[in-house]
Amino acid sequence: MGLGLLASRTLRSSSRIFHNNGPTTHFLRTITSTPDLNNADASASAVQQPDLPPRNPVGGARVHFPNPEDAIEVFVDGYPVKIPKGMTVLQACEVAGVDIPRFCYHSRLSIAGNCRMCLVEVEKSPKPVASCAMPALPGMKIKTDTPIAKKAREGVMEFLLMNHPLDCPICDQGGECDLQDQSMAFGSDRGRFTEMKRSVVDKNLGPLVKTVMTRCIQCTRCVRFASEVAGVEDLGMLGRGSGEEIGTYVEKLMTSELSGNVIDICPVGALTSKPFAFKARNWELKGTESIDVTDAVGSNIRIDSRGPEVMRVVPRLNEDINEEWISDKTRFFYDGLKRQRLNDPMLRGPDGRFKAVTWRDALAIVAEVMHQIKPEEIVGVAGKLSDAESMMALKDLLNKMGSNNIFCEGNGMHPNADLRSGYIMNTGISGLEKADAFLLVGTQPRVEAAMVNARIRKTVKATNAKVGYVGPAADFNYDHRHLGTDPKTLVEIAEGRHPFSSALKNAKNPVIIVGAGVFEREDKDAVFAAVETIGKNNNVVRPDWNGLNVLLLNGAQAAALDLGLVPESDKCIESAKFVYLMGADDVSLDKLPDDAFVVYQGHHGDRGVYRANVILPASAFTEKEGIYENTEGCAQITLPAVPTVGDARDDWKIIRALSEVAGVGLPYDSLGAIRSRIRTVAPNLLELDERQPATFSTSLRPEVSQKVSETPFTPAVENFYMTDAITRASKIMAQCSALLRK
Amino acid sequence: MILNTFLLETSFSFFLHCRAKQTKKSFAKMAQMARSMRVPPNSTSLSEAKKRTLEFFRMCCRSIPEIMDIYNLYDVVTPSQLRSAVASEVRKNSNVTNPKVIDMLLFKGMEELKNCVDHSKQRHHLVGKYVVGNQGLVQDLGHKDQGISNFLKNFYSSNYF
C-alpha cells in the first residue's frame, strides 16, 4: 500500500458523516497515483526480488564479525546472507538457517572432509563440493535442495550403510544416533547391497569407553579429538580402504581424563559409555540441567534420570566454562549416588553402635547438647560439596549460638577472605585464551580442574604460549618447562634471576595460576607475597587485564570465602567440645578431644561418620536446588533431578529446624528468604550464570615479613578419580583408579 | 460340669441383665428423643432456643458412652475428647441469633445424633468427622507440638513442602 492510500483511508475514517458500515464499503477504493506506477524500471526490479521469509541462523547462534568491513555476501538457496571472510560454505549455510547433514565435521575440531555427506551444489562447479572444507567466496550461489545435492546425500548414505551392521536394537546410540536421523531425513528408502558385510575386531580402551568397531564409519572425529583437545595421541587410523580400523595399534588404554568425551563425539554407536551400556534408551530419560560440583570448575551438565535413579551425566554447552566437554570424573561418578547413602537420622548408643531414631529425637538431642557447651567450644565445618544456602544457614546458626569458629574444608585455618581477587580466577576461564605466558605455581591443572587444563592447552596450541611450572613432577599434555619444586624458585623469578622471568616480561598478557593446595602451607602468606611481586614486576595486573589467579579445588570454597566462613581461632579443633560437620569428610579430626560431641550431616557414610555421635541425613547435589560458585566467580544453580533418599532433608532445612528446636530460630522459612539473607552478605552469589569479576586487585594487601620455607610443593590431589564422598563411593571410579592411573 | 453350666447361666443372666439395663436406658433416651421431635420446632425467643441448645448438648453427652460402645472407639478417643468435639461443633454456630435458624440447626443436630445412636453410620464416618480434627488425629497433637511453627511441622513429615 502506498502512502497515498493510507492517507486517504485516514481521511475517510475521521469524517463526521455517518457511514453505513456494510460490506459494500470494503470495496470502496480511492484512486491514488504512486511513483512506482509511473516508473517502469523500478517495478521490474522489484518483481525479481522474491518475498523470502527472514531466516535465523541454526540453533539461534549469533555470528561474530571480527572485521565488519571484511564481510562477504553469498546466496544460500537464493537467500542473500552476510558472513565474515574465511567461513566455509557449511558455516555460511548455518548462518542462513540451513542445516547441512554431516558426520566427520565438528565445529571444535579440525576439518577432515572424509565422510562426504555435506555435499552441496555450487553454481559454476562441475561436481558437488564438500561444504565443510570449501571456503565461501564472495558472490557464491549455494544450492542445498537441488536434485544433485539430494542424490549425492542418498548415495553417500547408501555407501555408509553398506558395511554398517544391523545393530540398532542392541546399540546404545539408538534414538540419539546421527546415522539413524540422517538416513531417515536424507537417505533413500531401500538399499541394494546383497554381499557380505565386513566386521572389525573390538578394541579395549578401558573401563569407560565401550567399543564396537564394526559400527565405525571412519569419520575420524575421535582421532582428531584425542590429538587436538585431549592432547594424547592414542587413537589413529590403521589400514586403507574398506579395511580401515580406528584403534590404538598397541594394547593401550585411553588414560586421558577427557576420554569420556569421545562418547559424545562419535556419531554412531561405535564408542559408547561402558557403565551406561544396555541400561536405558534416551527417550525414557528426563534431562535436568545442573552443575557439576566434584571440582571447582562448575561444568554445566545435564543429568539424565529415569524415575528415582540417575542414569547418566552428559555435558551442556557453555562457551565460557567448559565448552562442550566434561572430565571423566564428572561423567561417571553418578553410580556413587546409589551406594552408602544415609537415609535415617542415627544416634550412637552407649555400646558404640548406631541406632536409627526419628527426626524429633535426633534434633532434640543435638539441641540439648548444643546448649550445654560453651560458645567458644562449638565448631562448624562446611564440606566440599556444600551449597551457598546451607553454608549461610550454618554460619547464622553458629553465630546465634555465640560461636564464630566455622570454616570450609580446603581453605586452611587462616583464609584471607578480605579481597575477592585473592581467591578467585581473576582472568576467567575463557579469558585464559588470550594469554601468552603461563606460570603455574603448586598446581597440577590436569588433575585439579581438567577443563581449565583443556583451555590452557587450547591456548598453548593456538598461540604457542610459554608455560612455566613450579611444583612436584607431574605430567602435562602440552609443552612446559619445569622450573623448580619449591618456593625458592618463585623468589628467584621475582628477583629476575631466573631465565623464565624474561619470558614473563616479554609477554603481553601473562597469567599466574596459584593452586589452592598453597592454602594449607605455613608459608602461605610469603608465597602469595612472592607471587604478587612477580605480578608487579611483569605488569600482570592492569586495568584491562588481571592475570593473578587462584585455582580452587572444591565446589564450595569460593562461596565459603564469599560468605565469610573464616574461623576465629586456628586452634579451634583442639579445644572443641561440639563439632558440626556438614558433609566434611576430609578435615583431619586427629587433634579432637575424645569427649567432643560430633554431629555429621551429609549424604554418604564416608570418613566423617566414623567419629560422629549423631548422623543427620542430607540430600546430595543432584537432589536439591543450590547455588554453587566456581573458581572464576560465576554463581550457578543445581536443580533437583531425583527425589531424596529415605528420610533425608535438604541441608539448610535441617539447620533451620535445628535452630527452631534449640530455641534460636533463624528468620528464614523458604529458599527465597534464605537467598535474600545471602543478598545482604554476598549479593554476587545471586547473579546466576554471569561471571562476577573482583572489584579490587590484590595490591591493597599489607606487607608480609615471613620468609618462604624450603619445603617443596606437594600435589594437592593424589588420586584424580577419588576426591570426595560421592566419587569414593563409586564403583566406576574405583575401576578407573585401579586401571587408568598413571 | 454342673458348676460350669451354673456359672455359665449366672454369667449369661448377668449379661442379659446388663443388656436389659442398657436397653431400658436406650428406651428412655429414644422416648426422650421422640418427645423432643414432637415439640413444635418453633422457639418463641432466643433464650428458649438457647435452652433447647443446652438440652441438646446434654443429650449428646449422655449418649456418648453408648456411641463409644457401638462403634468400639475406646482405643482411638476418650469421652472427654468427643465431648470437646461436639462442643466445638455447637460453638461453630454460636454467632447465630435467629431462633428459627437455631431450631433448624438443632433439628439437623438431632438427626445426626439419631443416626449415630441407631448404628446407621459406620466407624469411619465418626472417626473422620469427630476424632480426626482439622490438624490430624486429635490424640497425636500432643502438648509438645503446640508451639512449633508450620515449617517444623512440615519438616517432620517430609522434605517437599
Side-chain angles (χ1 to χ4, degrees), chain A residues 202-221:
Chain A
D202 293 342
K203 316 287 186 297
N204 180 19
L205 292 181
L208 299 176
V209 181
K210 175 179 171 191
T211 61
V212 183
M213 295 325 283
T214 319
R215 299 176 191 157
C216 175
I217 55 172
Q218 292 92 24
C219 68
T220 63
R221 269 189 190 176

Side-chain angles (χ1 to χ4, degrees), chain A residues 387-468:
Chain A
D387 55 335
E389 286 98 346
S390 46
M391 286 197 281
M392 183 83 257
L394 185 63
K395 182 157 165 69
D396 275 348
L397 173 68
L398 256 62
N399 287 354
K400 283 218 170 189
M401 298 300 301
S403 148
N404 203 7
N405 284 325
I406 174 170
F407 61 97
C408 178
E409 276 186 327
N411 278 342
M413 296 309 252
H414 315 263
N416 201 333
D418 298 327
L419 293 171
R420 216 157 154 258
S421 55
Y423 55 82
I424 62 169
M425 192 163 238
N426 291 303
T427 319
I429 300 180
S430 55
L432 289 175
E433 287 186 30
K434 300 196 199 79
D436 48 1
F438 290 91
L439 176 62
L440 306 172
V441 179
T443 172
Q444 298 84 39
R446 198 163 180 201
V447 290
E448 289 176 20
M451 297 328 305
V452 172
N453 193 49
R455 211 58 96 117
I456 298 178
R457 181 191 151 78
K458 193 175 164 190
T459 317
V460 167
K461 280 287 166 269
T463 60
N464 240 348
K466 297 200 188 358
V467 177

Side-chain angles (χ1 to χ4, degrees), chain A residues 469-546:
Chain A
Y469 167 64
V470 179
D475 84 312
F476 285 74
N477 44 359
Y478 39 84
D479 294 321
H480 69 289
R481 286 166 53 189
H482 191 175
L483 305 175
T485 52
D486 53 59
K488 289 275 179 243
T489 328
L490 279 180
V491 176
E492 281 174 36
I493 300 178
E495 292 166 6
R497 286 184 279 139
H498 202 280
F500 191 72
S501 350
S502 57
L504 275 178
K505 215 182 260 304
N506 297 336
K508 263 199 300 281
N509 292 334
V511 160
I512 308 178
I513 302 183
V514 185
V518 173
F519 286 160
E520 307 271 356
R521 288 173 67 100
E522 293 97 32
D523 58 346
K524 161 178 92 97
D525 294 321
V527 170
F528 273 103
V531 164
E532 259 166 66
T533 329
I534 301 178
K536 253 199 294 270
N537 296 346
N538 296 308
N539 209 10
V540 171
V541 182
R542 305 190 295 258
D544 61 326
W545 173 262
N546 189 341

Side-chain angles (χ1 to χ4, degrees), chain A residues 2 21 50 134 142 188 205 280 308 334 357 362 374 407 522 538 547 598 619 630 639 694 719 737:
Chain A
N21 282 330
M134 171 78 116
I142 305 161
S188 65
L205 292 181
Y334 57 85
V357 294
K374 279 201 293 253
F407 61 97
E522 293 97 32
N538 296 308
V598 178
S619 51
N630 74 348
L639 290 175
N719 186 351
S737 77

Side-chain angles (χ1 to χ4, degrees), chain A residues 319-450:
Chain A
E319 285 291 351
D320 296 323
I321 301 176
N322 65 316
E323 293 179 304
E324 269 178 49
W325 321 121
I326 45 175
S327 69
D328 281 354
K329 185 165 58 171
T330 311
R331 197 181 282 270
F332 293 114
F333 73 84
Y334 57 85
D335 73 327
L337 292 166
K338 297 177 215 160
R339 275 190 74 231
Q340 299 274 51
R341 290 301 297 267
L342 301 172
N343 64 333
D344 268 329
M346 290 188 149
L347 183 61
R348 200 191 279 270
D351 57 346
R353 296 179 65 85
F354 277 109
K355 200 166 51 78
V357 294
T358 60
W359 273 108
R360 264 176 237 270
D361 298 335
L363 292 180
I365 289 172
V366 177
E368 198 186 308
V369 173
M370 232 170 32
H371 275 297
Q372 291 166 358
I373 310 280
K374 279 201 293 253
E376 56 270 4
E377 293 172 343
I378 301 182
V379 174
V381 185
K384 283 182 175 173
L385 307 174
S386 318
D387 55 335
E389 286 98 346
S390 46
M391 286 197 281
M392 183 83 257
L394 185 63
K395 182 157 165 69
D396 275 348
L397 173 68
L398 256 62
N399 287 354
K400 283 218 170 189
M401 298 300 301
S403 148
N404 203 7
N405 284 325
I406 174 170
F407 61 97
C408 178
E409 276 186 327
N411 278 342
M413 296 309 252
H414 315 263
N416 201 333
D418 298 327
L419 293 171
R420 216 157 154 258
S421 55
Y423 55 82
I424 62 169
M425 192 163 238
N426 291 303
T427 319
I429 300 180
S430 55
L432 289 175
E433 287 186 30
K434 300 196 199 79
D436 48 1
F438 290 91
L439 176 62
L440 306 172
V441 179
T443 172
Q444 298 84 39
R446 198 163 180 201
V447 290
E448 289 176 20

Side-chain angles (χ1 to χ4, degrees), chain A residues 218 236-247 249:
Chain A
Q218 292 92 24
M237 180 81 91
L238 310 157
R240 295 193 187 92
S242 70
E244 279 181 324
E245 292 184 18
I246 300 259
Y249 189 60

Side-chain angles (χ1 to χ4, degrees), chain A residues 191-264:
Chain A
R192 301 177 273 192
F193 187 66
T194 47
E195 280 90 49
M196 288 288 288
K197 295 193 184 222
R198 68 101 175 87
S199 63
V200 180
V201 64
D202 293 342
K203 316 287 186 297
N204 180 19
L205 292 181
L208 299 176
V209 181
K210 175 179 171 191
T211 61
V212 183
M213 295 325 283
T214 319
R215 299 176 191 157
C216 175
I217 55 172
Q218 292 92 24
C219 68
T220 63
R221 269 189 190 176
C222 53
V223 174
R224 284 176 279 144
F225 174 84
S227 74
E228 290 165 27
V229 179
V232 286
E233 314 242 312
D234 279 345
L235 295 169
M237 180 81 91
L238 310 157
R240 295 193 187 92
S242 70
E244 279 181 324
E245 292 184 18
I246 300 259
T248 51
Y249 189 60
V250 290
E251 288 280 332
K252 193 164 175 274
L253 305 176
M254 272 191 87
T255 51
S256 161
E257 73 277 1
L258 295 178
S259 65
N261 292 300
V262 295
I263 299 168
D264 292 330

